[in-house]
């Protein structure tokens, strides 16, 4: 193969906006520099953060022309000087990076530093292998590291039908916790029950989240909350917390203002903290702990990504519109014919 003539089909955008700002471009691909790896992509995992990034509402900001995409899986084509952990032909999964504009995964080939690669678990399909790291790094960091969940504790996981929500449920159950999941609709509640989630609240059916939690817990006995929503229900969750409980906020899906429940936090000595997956990614010790936990749990069968729907690479606009519709349970994956 002549790498000097390689080109990559790459989805990029040049302005903030809706799905239509994405265009498929053909770009030259350079040889890997020191520490870099050239990947032939097989699958790409989509995340809600991708949409927020494209719309200009995410914590990271686009630098135009901008790539996007946190996750994927593929085969190593070539390696740069100094790369020791990977060789051409290796099957790999991609860790989320801290630079979406530069290292976005929406491409059929692309270069990435080897520090953001892990070997693909043999037990996972390509689709599953592109759906691991964003959800499980976020869930492990929020549930185990920040939340301190362990055997016998109770945890509320909101936005439970999302890929991160499902990952958090699996991780909390693997740790021996009692899980209560919440989602918006009765339809999503039933789909979660069908997946084996035992205790689910549909907020359209039980709008008083405090009462729903207390009913299931037999009182204000919630030890940990892992919340992706924010908004007014934060006050209801805080009221249901145990004394000394921990509330971990990792998202802001609600368009409404998120109040701070000061009096409840004081009375119950609550810990309330924000969490972002970069907290784990940027700490070598935490990153290694998370990597070992995730890979060993996958090997033991405790963790398994839930794939909602697959789209072809050329149908990225359709995949993005489905992602924006918020209908999915689990992960949306884009596949490449390579």
């Amino acid at each position: 193969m002549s790498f000097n003539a390689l080109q990559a089909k790459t989805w990029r955008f040049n302005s903030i906006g809706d799905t239509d700002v994405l265009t498929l471009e053909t770009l030259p691909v350079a040889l890997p520099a020191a520490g870099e790896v050239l990947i032939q992509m097989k699958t790409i995992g989509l995340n809600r953060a991708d949409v927020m990034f494209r719309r200009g509402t995410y914590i990271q900001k686009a630098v135009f022309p901008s790539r996007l995409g946190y996750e994927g899986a593929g085969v190593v084509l070539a390696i740069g000087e100094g790369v020791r952990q990977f060789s051409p032909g290796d099957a790999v999964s991609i860790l989320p990076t801290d630079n979406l504009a530069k290292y976005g995964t929406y491409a059929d080939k692309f270069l990435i530093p080897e520090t953001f690669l892990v070997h693909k678990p043999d037990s996972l399909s390509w689709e599953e292998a592109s759906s691991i790291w964003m959800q499980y790094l976020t869930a492990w960091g929020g549930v185990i590291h920040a939340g301190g969940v362990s055997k016998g504790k109770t945890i509320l996981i909101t936005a439970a039908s999302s890929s991160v929500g499902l990952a958090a449920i699996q991780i909390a159950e693997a740790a021996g916790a009692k899980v209560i999941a919440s989602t918006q609709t009765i339809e999503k509640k039933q789909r979660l029950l069908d997946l084996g989630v035992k205790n689910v609240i549909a907020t359209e059916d039980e709008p008083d989240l405090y009462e729903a939690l207390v009913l299931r817990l037999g009182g204000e006995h919630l030890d940990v909350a892992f919340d992706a929503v924010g908004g007014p229900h934060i006050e209801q969750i805080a009221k249901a917390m145990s004394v000394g409980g921990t509330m971990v906020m990792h998202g802001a899906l609600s368009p409404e203002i998120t109040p701070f429940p000061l009096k409840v936090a004081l009375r119950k000595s609550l810990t309330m903290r924000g969490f972002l997956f970069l907290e784990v990614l940027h700490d070598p010790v935490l990153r290694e702990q998370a990597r070992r936990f995730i890979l060993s749990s996958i090997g033991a069968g405790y963790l398994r990504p839930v794939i909602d729907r697959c789209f072809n690479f050329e149908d990225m606009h359709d995949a993005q519109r489905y992602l924006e519709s918020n209908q999915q349970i689990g992960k949306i994956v884009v596949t490449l014919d390579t």
Side-chain angles (χ1 to χ4, degrees):
M1 181 183 295
S2 173
F3 291 107
N4 292 328
L6 271 185
Q7 294 181 318
K9 292 181 179 179
T10 306
W11 287 98
R12 298 199 300 181
F13 62 111
N14 283 282
S15 63
I16 296 301
D18 293 329
T19 302
D20 291 343
V21 301
L22 285 177
T23 59
L24 185 58
E25 305 175 29
T26 300
L27 305 174
V29 178
L31 291 172
E36 287 187 332
V37 178
L38 177 63
I39 307 296
Q40 176 77 60
M41 299 293 287
K42 293 285 190 180
T43 50
I44 300 164
L46 306 190
N47 292 280
R48 291 178 182 175
D50 303 349
V51 173
M52 297 173 69
F53 181 69
R54 170 168 46 78
R55 290 177 172 171
T57 59
Y58 194 48
I59 51 171
Q60 295 185 42
K61 300 303 178 185
V63 178
F64 300 120
S66 180
R67 305 171 67 109
L68 79 164
Y70 267 125
E71 292 186 280
V75 175
V76 174
L77 287 178
I79 60 174
E81 183 180 353
V83 173
R84 297 288 181 265
Q85 300 300 315
F86 304 95
S87 301
D90 285 355
V92 294
S93 294
I94 297 165
L95 295 173
T97 76
D98 55 2
N99 193 335
L100 270 174
K102 183 177 182 180
Y103 295 121
T105 59
Y106 287 19
D108 65 352
K109 304 177 191 69
F110 84 117
L111 290 166
I112 191 166
E114 70 166 327
T115 52
F116 295 107
L117 296 176
V118 295
H119 288 96
K120 171 185 170 293
D122 292 337
S123 62
L124 299 185
S125 68
W126 285 112
E127 290 79 10
E128 291 169 330
S130 65
S131 308
I132 304 172
W133 294 102
M134 184 66 169
Q135 63 185 39
Y136 287 127
L137 282 175
T138 302
W140 181 90
V143 171
I144 303 297
H145 165 61
V149 166
S150 58
K151 186 176 182 180
K153 289 197 174 185
T154 57
I155 180 172
L156 168 68
I157 296 168
T158 68
S161 64
S162 69
S163 58
V164 172
L166 289 169
I169 291 168
Q170 293 176 6
I171 286 174
E173 289 181 342
K178 177 182 178 180
V179 175
I180 300 175
S182 72
T183 189
Q184 282 187 310
T185 68
I186 296 172
E187 179 187 1
K188 285 189 174 182
K189 173 181 177 178
Q190 186 57 55
R191 292 176 68 184
L192 287 168
L193 291 170
D194 291 343
L195 286 172
V197 183
K198 299 179 180 64
N199 213 332
V200 187
I201 297 168
T203 53
E204 73 173 11
D205 189 43
E206 300 180 79
D208 192 322
L209 187 55
Y210 168 76
E211 291 293 342
L213 289 168
V214 167
L215 178 65
R216 287 163 173 80
L217 295 169
E220 297 175 353
H221 303 312
L222 186 63
D223 297 315
V224 181
F226 183 60
D227 179 62
V229 181
H233 83 186
I234 286 296
E235 292 183 303
Q236 297 182 42
I237 295 172
K239 285 172 58 180
M241 298 295 294
S242 303
V243 172
T246 300
M247 299 179 67
V248 180
M249 279 69 75
H250 71 100
L253 295 176
S254 173
E256 300 183 66
I257 293 173
T258 301
F260 180 72
L262 177 60
K263 291 184 179 180
V264 178
L266 291 173
R267 177 167 56 86
K268 293 192 172 187
S269 299
L270 299 181
T271 296
M272 305 182 71
R273 57 109 85 201
F275 174 78
L276 186 66
F277 74 94
L278 293 175
E279 186 175 331
V280 174
L281 193 67
H282 287 163
D283 186 318
V285 174
L286 287 178
R287 188 172 66 239
E288 180 59 18
Q289 289 176 354
R291 189 188 69 83
R292 288 180 180 275
F293 177 94
I294 292 165
L295 290 176
S296 64
S297 297
I298 288 172
Y302 296 126
L303 305 183
R304 195 85 187 191
V306 175
I307 307 300
D308 181 277
R309 188 174 296 186
C310 294
F311 291 82
N312 293 327
F313 182 69
E314 290 76 13
D315 298 327
M316 184 64 76
H317 288 146
D318 291 338
Q320 292 285 305
R321 282 188 280 268
Y322 184 65
L323 179 63
E324 291 173 342
S325 73
N326 194 28
Q327 299 176 54
Q328 74 274 11
I329 301 292
K331 203 76 165 185
I332 300 169
V333 175
V334 168
T335 61
L336 295 94
D337 186 19
T338 57

